[in-house]
Amino acid sequence: EQIESNAFDALGTLKLLNLSTNRLQFIEPIYKVMAHLKVLDISRNEIKTIASGSFNELRSLQELYLSDNSIGYVSYKTRSV
């Protein structure tokens, strides 16, 4: 499963996004418009890869939940939280 790259374009003021248990397999930089996002829960999915720069634009991010995935690769350019 994947999310379209423009799926969150109208949600610029969103502070919490829970995408847990959605069978997501890949995370790419789709959160560019979410400057106010503080909590992102993508736990309990099937994520294997996190693309370079996936969280770079999430300047307000304070909590990131990744548990219960099969992450085998995280690009070295992925922003640390």
Side-chain angles (χ1 to χ4, degrees), residues 1-12 14 17 19 24-35 37 40 42 47 50-58:
E1 304 288 331
Q2 73 178 42
I3 297 171
E4 296 297 321
S5 60
N6 63 348
F8 303 109
D9 284 357
L11 303 174
L14 191 67
L17 179 60
L19 294 172
L24 298 175
Q25 297 178 355
F26 183 76
I27 295 296
E28 55 185 78
I30 58 174
Y31 309 106
K32 293 177 186 170
V33 298
M34 304 178 122
L37 192 69
L40 175 59
I42 49 177
I47 298 169
I50 298 178
S52 175
S54 292
F55 309 114
N56 286 356
E57 300 301 321
L58 299 178

Side-chain angles (χ1 to χ4, degrees), residues 11-24:
L11 303 174
T13 60
L14 191 67
K15 293 189 187 311
L16 184 147
L17 179 60
N18 185 338
L19 294 172
S20 64
T21 318
N22 276 291
R23 297 187 326 177
L24 298 175

Side-chain angles (χ1 to χ4, degrees), residues 62-76:
Q62 297 174 0
E63 298 176 39
L64 175 62
Y65 297 95
L66 295 167
S67 63
D68 297 315
N69 280 290
S70 299
I71 299 170
Y73 178 76
V74 178
S75 170
Y76 70 92

